[in-house]
Amino acid sequence: MRVAIIGGGPGGLYAAALLKRLDPAREVTVWERNAPDVTFGFGVVLSDETLGGIEHADPVVHEALQRDFVRWDDIDIGHRGTRYRSGGHGFAALGRHRLLRILQDRCRSLGVELRFATEAPDTGRLSQSHDLVIAADGVHSTTRQTHAHAFGPRVTEHRCRYIWLAADFAFDAFRFEIAETEHGVMQLHGYPFTAGDSTVIVEMREEVWRAAGFDTATPQESVERCAKIFADTLGGRPLRSNNSAWTTFRTVVNDHWSHGNVVLLGDAAHTAHFSIGSGTKLAVEDALALAACLREQPDVRTALAAYEEERKPVVASTQRAARASLEWFENLRLYLDQPPRQFAFNLLTRSRRVTHDNLRLRDARFTEAVEREFGCPAGTPPMFTPFRLRGLTLRNRVVVSPMDMYSATDGVPGDFHLVHLGARALGGAGLVMTEMVCVSEEGRITPGCAGLYTGRQAEAWRRVTDFVHRQSPGTAIGVQLGHSGRKGSTRLMWEGMDEPLPAGNWPLVAASPLPYRPGGQIPRRLSRAQLTDIREQFAAAGWRAARAGFDLLELHCAHGYLLSGFLSPLTNLRTDAYGGSLERRLRFPLEVFDAVRAVWPAERPMTVRISATDWAEGGTTAEDAVQIARAFAAHGADAIDVSTGQVVAEERPEFGRSYQTPFADMIRHEVRVPVIAVGAISSWDDVNSLILAGRTDLCALARPHLYDPHWTLHAAVEQGYTGPGAVWPAPYRAGSRRPRTGRTDDPRPRLTLSG
């Protein structure tokens, strides 16, 4: 086999060494445009997991790395004159020059041909003359650009400028330092990579960078000014450069990683922000996986498919974490006023990879100090602290999210709703929400949707609220009011989600005459008179909700339903007073809010659910969402329930664990209003992490409560918590400990005698 590798960075060199070691008969050639001692940046960080893979795959390389690694466990966070240290994290780093030298030497010892200061031939020629072409040619990959039609690259440029520098001394911990300057906030990321050297990355948003004059500064002036800004951190020592230049981070994603016998590796295939680790780590792991797949599979094409299948999910997970970390630093200014320890905890858990429970294992003393500062009583996890909204105090921070059940008859909730909502109330959540309850017959999504447009429906809901208040005292129950708009008159979800009814369809109304799906029913554009009628329908439903005994009311302005349709520029094309600017698009939803608030008891809270982004070009943005939330808060909303999407059928959501929580976080800190976070929050550890970091006030979970109606009580058991935030109903107390299952071998029988 003849293998051509484009790029002599760590990923390309390590792939070359592995492929040659596994099969000495392979002819492996590496082309690198730079000289062997030319590189950018300074230190490289590798995890213990990656090192374990290297040790298994090539002990020679691992041994050489071990001799040069600098190791440390602590992270220091400096902000406003305080510095907090968290331990137990475990890092290893070495100089980038040294890493390249180790890999170059290993390649030469194995017989790899290294061609430095040489441009690689065209990939078309290489793919004809070689069995495999590995493109490890970096973030600006020529190979990726040349074959963009096959790889499908998407490159996103972000908001911060940063520069890689070094200091001639070794930090004793990973350092995050915050500088608040007259131009804006700047941050330093620093870590040792030899016994006498540290990498120093200085980062700030583009507008701060320009305001500070870095856009016109010479390279040397930039270095000197960075050293001056962070003089306390550096102990007055200077910084040095290695052809360093200010740049913006680019996230690289490819739909496909291979094209014929050409495959992408490392930064050519993907990038992950430096704040969660090294791109070198991902490239080394790519090389390990590619070498393994080539060994295990019968031919190159099958091996490349297996490599992509193995690595893509891992990289996607890393990129989601990196994106969360990157955006946290982009929005750093939002968190500056947090209590110091909470700020530190927020920074440490920003990527969602380090969590409350994980950090407790690493550094229990630090985590307990954060909990005390937050106000957690001893032995109380953050999720079981109370929270007050207007006259309602919730005993914990868990919300059963609204979930459409499509099980009502003529809009009347029945036994199913009593059992469904009653079971979740008995399960310990602080607040249980109904599904979207429709304000009119025409406002239903499906024939199975529940309503509050008749007295009979209100009486049926009273049966549910009475059960919750009587059998689960301390649990609150809330109602979500909404109107389907253009998304109505469809089949039950399990019969065909968003599919029109086969018969008996009713006419739809919306802000503009646009169908939700191509070929779907076209709604009528609402007239001024019809808007008034619908506003009164909402108010009447709110009045019935109060008489039905609900503790909280939420106005549904999300997910493409009627009120959401007014907010999004993709679904509101009106040219009258209810369309055009965001202020005008807000007008009708705010009129509805005011009408409902006027009939809703003053002591009971009212919240609003919004879609913080449409996940579609030209739609609602995060910045718009802040303005929408601010408007509702100004009108008296007690909290904003922050969801995303489902507004247009052509959306492209960025799914992932807790993927919607950054929008809630932004609104909470920009608007200074309580928020409810939703979206793939699946564990009690996630809830504790989000609450303690100050990213949300309440967490709404849907599917976990379908899987386990007693999710909250079980979360308390698993954490050893027995306080007032999670009270087992008296008939269930015997089940408040996990049942033993199967045989146990503890204690073990004595089979030998001693003495």
Side-chain angles (χ1 to χ4, degrees):
M1 175 182 279
R2 300 188 72 210
V3 180
I5 299 178
I6 305 171
L13 290 171
Y14 191 52
L18 288 176
L19 292 175
K20 189 69 172 176
R21 178 176 180 270
L22 291 173
D23 185 354
R26 287 175 176 146
E27 180 184 313
V28 182
T29 306
V30 178
W31 280 268
E32 168 54 50
R33 69 179 64 182
N34 294 309
D37 59 346
V38 172
T39 187
F40 302 97
F42 297 92
V44 174
V45 178
L46 296 175
S47 68
D48 288 341
E49 181 182 29
T50 304
L51 290 174
I54 293 173
E55 182 179 19
H56 181 74
D58 193 336
V60 173
V61 170
H62 182 264
E63 185 179 346
L65 293 174
Q66 289 286 80
R67 288 194 294 267
D68 285 276
F69 266 130
V70 175
R71 292 184 176 274
W72 70 100
D73 290 321
D74 297 328
I75 296 177
D76 280 1
I77 298 165
H79 171 48
R80 291 185 174 173
T82 63
R83 178 168 291 113
Y84 292 104
R85 171 165 290 192
S86 172
H89 296 278
F91 297 96
L94 80 165
R96 187 173 176 87
H97 277 104
R98 180 58 187 150
L99 174 61
L100 290 175
R101 180 61 58 85
I102 288 170
L103 294 175
Q104 290 166 8
D105 290 345
R106 182 59 171 154
C107 284
R108 291 190 183 97
S109 71
L110 292 167
V112 174
E113 183 177 354
L114 301 178
R115 300 184 181 181
F116 289 104
T118 306
E119 290 283 351
D122 174 77
T123 52
R125 288 171 49 199
L126 286 177
S127 64
Q128 292 291 324
S129 59
H130 290 73
D131 301 290
L132 174 65
V133 179
I134 300 174
D137 48 348
V139 64
H140 301 293
S141 171
T142 301
T143 307
R144 186 184 66 233
Q145 295 169 5
T146 301
H147 302 286
H149 64 285
F151 294 121
R154 298 188 302 280
V155 181
T156 304
E157 192 165 305
H158 298 285
R159 298 178 176 180
C160 283
R161 291 271 182 168
Y162 67 95
I163 188 169
W164 289 83
L165 302 169
D168 294 327
F169 72 98
F171 287 125
D172 62 351
F174 204 117
R175 295 285 287 273
F176 292 105
E177 297 286 341
I178 313 302
E180 294 176 72
T181 74
E182 60 183 311
H183 308 293
V185 64
M186 305 176 187
Q187 59 260 18
L188 177 149
H189 313 242
Y191 58 88
F193 65 90
T194 74
D197 300 276
S198 294
T199 291
V200 174
I201 305 168
V202 176
E203 183 184 28
M204 65 199 74
R205 284 180 65 115
E206 174 87 16
E207 60 269 26
V208 176
W209 178 76
R210 292 187 181 279
F214 282 114
D215 56 330
T216 58
T218 66
Q220 186 56 35
E221 287 172 342
S222 286
V223 174
E224 292 172 355
R225 291 183 61 188
C226 286
K228 185 176 180 180
I229 291 167
F230 292 98
D232 289 345
T233 304
L234 300 170
R237 302 178 183 89
L239 292 169
R240 56 185 166 87
S241 169
N242 177 23
N243 297 318
S244 306
W246 291 100
T247 187
T248 55
F249 189 81
R250 295 170 177 83
T251 296
V252 174
V253 177
N254 284 277
D255 292 335
H256 306 285
W257 291 10
S258 64
H259 170 51
N261 64 345
V262 180
V263 64
L264 302 178
L265 184 146
D267 284 354
H270 48 71
T271 58
H273 194 249
F274 55 80
S275 61
I276 71 158
S278 170
T280 301
K281 171 187 181 296
L282 287 178
V284 166
E285 292 172 353
D286 282 354
L288 283 164
L290 179 58
C293 290
L294 286 165
R295 186 177 193 180
E296 295 162 356
Q297 302 300 327
D299 55 65
V300 168
R301 286 179 183 265
T302 306
L304 298 188
Y307 159 71
E308 185 170 340
E309 183 179 5
E310 176 182 333
R311 287 295 293 161
K312 250 191 170 181
V314 177
V315 169
S317 175
T318 302
Q319 288 188 309
R320 284 193 295 269
R323 182 68 176 260
S325 178
L326 176 155
E327 290 177 349
W328 194 93
F329 281 109
E330 284 184 340
N331 297 309
L332 178 60
R333 63 179 178 80
L334 297 178
Y335 312 115
L336 295 176
D337 293 330
Q338 284 189 309
R341 283 193 179 88
Q342 186 182 52
F343 176 86
F345 178 87
N346 196 356
L347 188 153
L348 291 171
T349 60
R350 68 196 180 279
S351 72
R352 304 192 285 272
R353 289 204 152 182
V354 175
T355 63
H356 171 265
D357 198 45
N358 178 267
L359 194 56
R360 176 180 287 280
L361 290 174
R362 298 181 187 207
D363 192 338
R365 181 179 297 179
F366 172 80
T367 307
E368 289 166 3
V370 180
E371 291 172 347
R372 286 194 301 272
E373 189 174 82
F374 181 79
C376 297
T380 301
M383 66 185 291
F384 293 116
T385 55
F387 188 72
R388 187 174 181 85
L389 286 172
R390 202 170 284 235
L392 176 67
T393 298
L394 302 176
R395 65 183 177 193
N396 63 53
R397 308 299 185 100
V398 179
V399 179
V400 176
S401 195
M403 294 175 279
D404 287 322
M405 292 289 107
Y406 310 109
S407 299
T409 302
D410 297 327
V412 179
D415 290 346
F416 177 89
H417 295 82
L418 177 67
V419 174
H420 167 68
L421 294 169
R424 273 109 198 125
L426 292 171
L431 172 64
V432 176
M433 293 296 301
T434 69
E435 60 199 87
M436 184 179 93
V437 175
C438 304
V439 299
S440 69
E441 186 175 14
E442 297 77 16
R444 294 175 299 162
I445 308 167
T446 76
C449 288
L452 254 174
Y453 46 89
T454 70
R456 184 177 168 217
Q457 293 162 355
E459 290 172 5
W461 281 117
R462 184 79 202 199
R463 180 173 173 235
V464 175
T465 61
D466 282 349
F467 176 89
V468 171
H469 294 146
R470 183 175 61 252
Q471 299 296 339
S472 186
T475 296
I477 182 166
V479 62
Q480 185 188 70
L481 293 184
H483 186 298
S484 62
R486 68 179 188 150
K487 296 179 75 175
S489 191
T490 64
R491 306 182 191 199
L492 305 184
M493 181 178 66
W494 47 87
E495 293 175 352
M497 188 172 179
D498 297 323
E499 293 288 340
L501 292 168
N505 285 280
W506 56 85
L508 304 180
V509 296
S512 298
L514 301 171
Y516 178 64
R517 297 175 65 171
Q521 185 180 162
I522 299 176
R524 296 194 313 271
R525 177 185 182 275
L526 285 164
S527 67
R528 292 289 292 267
Q530 290 172 317
L531 291 175
T532 300
D533 289 343
I534 289 176
R535 184 187 68 209
E536 295 309 310
Q537 289 170 358
F538 270 96
W543 178 80
R544 292 190 185 96
R547 290 176 62 85
F550 286 104
D551 302 300
L552 175 148
L553 187 149
E554 179 166 281
L555 188 65
H556 201 341
C557 297
H559 298 169
Y561 298 121
L562 182 68
L563 299 181
S564 170
F566 274 86
L567 293 174
S568 172
L570 296 177
T571 53
N572 184 347
L573 306 183
R574 301 173 74 103
T575 56
D576 63 359
Y578 294 96
S581 67
L582 179 57
E583 182 180 10
R584 289 187 173 187
R585 298 198 307 273
L586 268 161
R587 182 176 177 180
F588 182 61
L590 289 173
E591 287 181 0
V592 171
F593 179 91
D594 291 342
V596 176
R597 182 70 264 185
V599 301
W600 185 244
E603 73 279 5
R604 300 187 206 177
M606 187 169 166
T607 65
V608 179
R609 174 171 276 210
I610 66 170
S611 285
T613 177
D614 293 343
W615 299 115
E617 186 176 352
T620 299
T621 65
E623 290 74 20
D624 292 335
V626 168
Q627 297 306 314
I628 292 169
R630 184 171 283 123
F632 279 114
H635 280 245
D638 298 291
I640 306 298
D641 189 353
V642 187
S643 186
T644 65
Q646 302 179 54
V647 176
V648 292
E650 62 271 22
E651 68 177 4
R652 294 189 65 177
E654 297 176 3
F655 290 119
R657 176 167 145 257
S658 305
Y659 72 106
Q660 296 178 144
T661 58
F663 298 98
D665 186 5
M666 175 176 288
I667 287 170
R668 185 179 190 270
H669 287 91
E670 288 276 19
V671 183
R672 305 292 180 178
V673 64
V675 297
I676 306 170
V678 304
I681 303 170
S682 56
S683 72
W684 50 258
D685 193 19
D686 286 338
V687 176
N688 283 328
S689 300
L690 293 168
I691 297 295
L692 191 58
R695 296 182 196 134
T696 188
D697 299 284
L698 301 167
C699 287
L701 300 92
R703 288 177 178 84
H705 282 114
L706 293 180
Y707 180 77
D708 178 6
H710 290 76
W711 186 89
T712 306
L713 293 179
H714 291 156
V717 171
E718 290 169 12
Q719 296 176 79
Y721 173 72
T722 58
V727 179
W728 282 77
Y732 287 177
R733 285 176 190 161
S736 61
R737 289 184 294 177
R738 183 187 294 275
R740 291 183 178 272
T741 57
R743 170 183 169 177
T744 66
D745 291 323
D746 186 24
R748 295 177 180 274
R750 184 182 294 276
L751 299 178
T752 61
L753 295 174
S754 60

